[in-house]
């Protein structure tokens, strides 16, 4: 039960299109990292020149190596110093810490270890889909942001009209919570139609909605119709610094000819509005939480996933793995 996951894992940190001719700096659990395209492919180095500690990301890329803007020391994709301009003779062995990095499906992943497995991408991998990639930055924590994505009960208020109807009418819904090593999910059945704008434009009849959390910070929503998965989002979240969560995600729809293409066009702008509404409440909570006195959030009767998400993030088995739960709620 209390076995911990010690394995190294990948984290999505950027979209491939963001790494062009210039280096890009990100924060990775508070540490500065520079991403660039080296001769060996995508590279991720600690963003600090060992010489005088300048940000390498403010330098430039020269033939696949990153050049520090201060004295021009250069580093290859493995972090080895390859040139010290003006120095006569062999270059001494200096190096910058390097992170494992790879690109999959238009997204850059890095790791502070050496993961054995390929990174998980999204829940419709390998299917005939239309998708858009998105990026987000939110003032929050990974647990709060993930819970927000998966929490159905805030949609009536935060997203009134967009994800829910304008009336207060609710339906009795059955929620099954199940889990396993590194994941937990809530499956909602009984709400045959979600009255918000997004559902009316993009979906047919809804058979099931699933909200899932995966280690280390992946939140995904699936909307199932009578004939299978119709719409889905998979969001990879990570703590950039203490107050900032960065997200990289996929918005996915099943390909259904021209209609599918048209629907996909509407998905991203509507999603962007919902994201904006969520970022506003999360920022309010984050700002307010730091004012004294210190307080812990209440885990209410409808917050089905909170404790299990916390367990998974701490590398423990979620309680739902050994004890699946069933709830009835009005949604
Ligand atoms: S500080 Fe980077 S080369 Fe001197
Ligand atoms: Fe939301």
């Amino acid at each position: 039960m209390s076995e911990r996951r010690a394995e190294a894992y990948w984290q999505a940190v950027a979209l491939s299109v963001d790494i062009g001719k210039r280096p890009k700096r990100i924060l990775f659990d508070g540490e500065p990292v520079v991403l660039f395209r080296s001769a060996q492919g995508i590279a991720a180095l600690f963003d600090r020149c060992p010489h005088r500690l300048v940000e390498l990301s403010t330098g430039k890329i020269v033939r696949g190596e990153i050049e520090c803007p201060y004295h021009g020391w250069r580093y290859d994709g493995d972090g080895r110093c390859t040139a010290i301009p003006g120095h006569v003779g062999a270059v001494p062995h200096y190096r910058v810490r390097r992170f494992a990095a790879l690109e999959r499906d238009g997204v850059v992943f890095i790791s502070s270890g050496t993961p054995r497995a390929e990174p998980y991408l999204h829940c419709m991998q390998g299917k005939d889909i239309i998708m858009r990639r998105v990026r987000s930055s939110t003032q929050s924590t990974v647990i709060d942001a993930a819970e927000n994505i998966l929490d159905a009960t805030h949609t009536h208020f935060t997203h009134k009209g967009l994800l829910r109807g304008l009336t207060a009418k609710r339906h009795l819904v059955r929620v099954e919570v199940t889990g396993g090593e590194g994941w937990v999910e809530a499956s909602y059945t009984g709400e045959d139609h979600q009255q918000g704008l997004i559902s009316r434009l993009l979906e047919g009849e809804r058979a099931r909605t699933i909200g899932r959390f995966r280690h280390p910070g992946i939140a995904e929503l699936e909307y199932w119709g009578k004939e299978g998965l119709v719409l889905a989002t998979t969001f990879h979240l990570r703590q950039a610094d203490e107050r900032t969560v960065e997200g990289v995600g996929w918005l996915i729809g099943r390909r259904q000819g021209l209609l599918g293409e048209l629907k996909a066009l509407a998905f991203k702008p509507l999603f962007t509005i919902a994201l904006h509404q969520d970022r506003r409440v999360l920022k309010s909570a984050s700002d307010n939480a730091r004012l004294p006195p210190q307080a812990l959030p209440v885990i209410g009767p409808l917050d089905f996933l909170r404790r299990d998400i916390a367990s998974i993030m701490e590398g423990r088995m979620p309680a739902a793995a050994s004890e699946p739960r069933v709830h009835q709620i009005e949604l």
Side-chain angles (χ1 to χ4, degrees):
M1 268 297 283
S2 60
E3 213 178 293
R4 299 180 76 90
R5 297 166 67 98
E7 265 170 55
Y9 50 83
W10 295 107
Q11 287 199 266
V13 292
L15 299 182
S16 293
V17 293
D18 296 334
I19 322 292
K21 291 194 173 69
R22 299 223 187 120
K24 181 181 169 66
R25 176 182 166 101
I26 60 157
L27 289 175
F28 189 62
D29 286 327
E31 292 187 356
V33 173
V34 56
L35 305 171
F36 66 100
R37 296 194 181 279
S38 74
Q40 299 87 19
I42 195 87
L45 303 181
F46 190 62
D47 190 14
R48 190 186 281 167
C49 180
H51 184 217
R52 286 296 173 274
L53 314 186
V54 168
E55 297 159 60
L56 290 171
S57 57
T58 58
K60 60 182 182 189
I61 310 301
V62 182
R63 288 186 295 279
E65 296 181 342
I66 192 160
E67 183 185 271
C68 179
Y70 197 178
H71 310 92
W73 289 24
R74 257 190 231 168
Y75 304 89
D76 68 12
D78 282 328
R80 267 187 302 260
C81 181
T82 57
I84 296 180
H87 171 68
V88 178
V91 179
H93 294 284
Y94 297 122
R95 60 182 315 147
V96 184
R97 186 170 144 219
R98 145 192 184 277
F99 296 78
L102 52 73
E103 279 178 290
R104 290 290 179 272
D105 197 23
V107 172
V108 177
F109 292 84
I110 73 172
S111 174
S112 44
T114 317
R116 269 179 290 152
E118 278 282 300
Y120 173 79
L121 304 179
H122 59 74
C123 57
M124 282 171 104
Q125 235 167 296
K127 303 226 175 77
D128 188 22
I129 54 169
I130 302 168
M131 50 98 160
R132 300 280 184 275
R133 295 179 196 87
V134 284
R135 211 182 328 93
S136 71
S137 182
T138 307
Q139 185 188 318
S140 191
T141 57
V142 167
I143 189 165
D144 283 340
E147 185 192 39
N148 166 265
I149 292 173
L150 303 176
D151 164 21
T153 63
H154 80 289
T155 55
H156 297 276
F157 296 90
T158 311
H159 307 297
K160 192 170 186 170
L162 186 68
L163 293 176
R164 295 284 162 187
L166 293 168
T167 67
K169 193 161 164 277
R170 289 184 180 235
H171 302 268
L172 199 62
V173 166
R174 181 184 154 89
V175 189
E176 290 176 62
V177 180
T178 52
E181 192 190 342
W183 65 277
V184 64
E185 70 177 38
S187 172
Y188 299 79
T189 45
E191 47 163 0
D192 49 14
H193 230 100
Q194 203 162 301
Q195 288 303 316
L197 186 60
I198 287 190
S199 308
R200 278 190 286 176
L201 282 176
L202 303 179
E203 274 187 279
E205 207 167 322
R206 175 95 58 94
R208 181 183 289 272
T209 310
I210 297 176
R212 185 183 304 112
F213 181 82
R214 289 177 188 273
H215 180 84
I218 302 169
E220 48 195 3
L221 289 174
E222 297 176 352
Y223 299 129
W224 291 74
K226 293 260 181 295
E227 271 128 51
L229 196 48
V230 182
L231 285 177
T233 66
T234 293
F235 246 84
H236 293 244
L237 304 167
R238 66 186 177 84
Q239 205 71 47
D241 62 24
E242 214 185 309
R243 300 181 70 172
T244 316
V245 173
E246 300 272 337
V248 168
W250 281 269
L251 309 178
I252 315 156
R254 196 172 55 202
R255 189 179 294 281
Q256 305 146 303
L258 185 60
L259 190 63
E261 293 284 354
L262 289 173
K263 284 181 173 182
L265 282 179
F267 198 0
K268 190 162 170 177
L270 291 174
F271 178 87
T272 306
I273 298 171
L275 188 65
H276 181 75
Q277 294 169 330
D278 283 327
R279 289 174 66 222
R280 200 164 45 201
V281 288
L282 289 171
K283 179 180 187 307
S284 163
S286 163
D287 282 337
N288 215 22
R290 57 186 51 231
L291 298 177
Q294 277 257 320
L296 286 175
V298 168
I299 302 181
L302 304 181
D303 302 335
F304 312 121
L305 299 179
R306 178 82 184 198
R307 288 189 182 87
D308 280 350
I309 294 174
S311 297
I312 292 166
M313 288 183 67
E314 288 159 14
R316 287 183 285 116
M317 196 64 108
S322 47
E323 273 172 78
R325 309 182 284 269
V326 177
H327 308 266
Q328 299 275 355
I329 67 166
E330 283 192 332
L331 206 57

